[in-house]
Amino acid sequence: MRNVLITGATSGIGLSLVEKYLQAGDKVYACGRNFQAYLKSSSLIDAEKSDKLVKIVFDMNHHDAIIDVLTEVESLDIAILNAGTCEYIDDAMGFDAELFERVINTNVISIGYCLQALLPKMKQKGHLALMGSSAAFVPFQRAEAYGASKAAIHYLAQSLQLDIPKERLTISVIAPGFVKTPLTDKNDFPMPMLIEPDKAADHIINGINNNKQHIHFPFPFTRFLILMGALPSCIWQWMALRMKRK
Ligand SMILES: NC(=O)c1ccc[n+]([C@@H]2O[C@H](COP(=O)([O-])OP(=O)(O)OC[C@H]3O[C@@H](n4cnc5c(N)ncnc54)[C@H](OP(=O)(O)O)[C@@H]3O)[C@@H](O)[C@H]2O)c1
């Protein structure tokens, strides 16, 4: 039995990860604010009763709470820092600095506090995964806040990979394409190769089990974006500007 901690565990990809790790017999620390979905699942209720599931309630923007609650956690085999939010900048010329701050705080600054609390808890040869996005491979319109936050996470993960030996801890960055969750249900543009959260969780768990440092999926979509990111920026700019909203 491994000890697994997942942030953003109350819906979407995080919730699917919780269900799959519990099915595999692991103990799961599930972090989030709103655990309503857990009341509807008999398997999650049973897992909590048998102490296989521990719910940890905190807001990623409450830094003292992050440190307080996470220092109470046992030593960990796997931590997946998955919590995140997405808001778009609709008017670049009338830039909304508060929106930018909200997204950067929730998606990036909080990760620093999670790392401070959790890195000392990670077992030898454990695995730490940070949730990035394929949006970090190339710039998208209206993604000045979300895309920048995910690009920061990619850099952070890759820098940690240099500073922490793989024999001590495998650090991976996860870059999904489009996954059908409450976060993407708000999108008003076409989402090619959209996959279900269940499938996304399978890719992530498979990547972690195989000690992959870069976990990206679905492959045709992410490979295409990685290729685009490597080409002269004028090519991607030409394509991105032709993508229409619904
Ligand atoms: N869906 C996609 O296509 C896609 C693609 C690439 C990357 N991602 C990334 O995958 C991660 C999970 O997203 P999702 O698609 O599964 O969306 P989701 O269903 O909306 O889940 C987001 C999770 O993050 C938690 N969260 C958000 N703000 C929080 C806060 N201030 N404090 C504590 N927890 C907070 C939410 O918990 P509470 O509501 O309980 O607080 C929820 O559990 C995000 O980092 C997202 O950027 C998603």
Side-chain angles (χ1 to χ4, degrees), residues 56-188:
I56 306 183
V57 183
F58 64 91
D59 189 315
M60 294 295 276
N61 293 303
H62 297 165
H63 303 149
D64 291 345
I66 294 179
I67 300 292
D68 283 353
V69 294
L70 293 186
T71 40
E72 298 300 315
V73 167
E74 292 175 81
S75 57
L76 295 170
D77 298 275
I78 298 170
I80 307 176
L81 303 184
N82 160 73
T85 188
C86 179
E87 291 185 72
Y88 292 114
I89 299 274
D90 285 325
D91 174 12
M93 286 301 288
F95 200 86
D96 184 342
E98 286 184 7
L99 180 160
F100 189 77
E101 185 178 0
R102 270 197 306 278
V103 173
I104 298 291
N105 275 342
T106 305
N107 291 1
V108 185
I109 305 299
S110 64
I111 298 285
Y113 289 91
C114 291
L115 292 176
Q116 184 179 318
L118 293 178
L119 278 172
K121 305 258 169 203
M122 298 305 303
K123 288 186 190 171
Q124 188 73 21
K125 294 194 176 298
H127 198 118
L128 170 75
L130 306 188
M131 178 55 83
S133 169
S134 56
F137 296 148
V138 282
F140 285 91
Q141 281 183 287
R142 302 194 296 142
E144 289 84 353
Y146 182 73
S149 76
K150 293 301 180 181
I153 287 172
H154 281 240
Y155 195 102
L156 170 62
Q158 290 172 79
S159 193
L160 285 170
Q161 286 164 357
L162 294 175
D163 279 321
I164 300 175
K166 214 176 168 194
E167 302 73 49
R168 170 67 186 88
L169 190 62
T170 300
I171 294 171
S172 54
V173 62
I174 305 166
F178 291 112
V179 185
K180 184 163 174 31
T181 67
L183 185 140
T184 48
D185 285 344
K186 292 180 275 181
N187 285 349
D188 60 357

Side-chain angles (χ1 to χ4, degrees), residues 2 4-6 12-26 28 77-80 82 127-129 131 170 172-176 195-217 219:
R2 298 168 298 181
V4 181
L5 181 138
I6 300 165
I13 300 169
L15 180 54
S16 289
L17 285 168
V18 170
E19 287 166 339
K20 284 181 186 283
Y21 277 114
L22 285 172
Q23 280 161 17
D26 296 313
V28 177
D77 298 275
I78 298 170
I80 307 176
N82 160 73
H127 198 118
L128 170 75
M131 178 55 83
T170 300
S172 54
V173 62
I174 305 166
I195 60 169
E196 293 296 324
D198 196 47
K199 190 83 194 149
D202 284 340
H203 280 293
I204 293 167
I205 291 170
N206 193 33
I208 289 175
N209 288 345
N210 287 300
N211 281 328
K212 290 255 166 67
Q213 289 187 314
H214 300 272
I215 302 170
H216 59 90
F217 55 85
F219 297 115

Side-chain angles (χ1 to χ4, degrees), residues 1-6 17-30 38 43-56 74 76:
M1 184 182 80
R2 298 168 298 181
N3 289 338
V4 181
L5 181 138
I6 300 165
L17 285 168
V18 170
E19 287 166 339
K20 284 181 186 283
Y21 277 114
L22 285 172
Q23 280 161 17
D26 296 313
K27 175 167 182 170
V28 177
Y29 293 90
Y38 283 53
S43 61
L44 292 177
I45 292 168
D46 290 347
E48 195 180 0
K49 281 187 191 145
S50 62
D51 283 339
K52 296 281 282 183
L53 170 66
V54 179
K55 292 192 289 201
I56 306 183
E74 292 175 81
L76 295 170

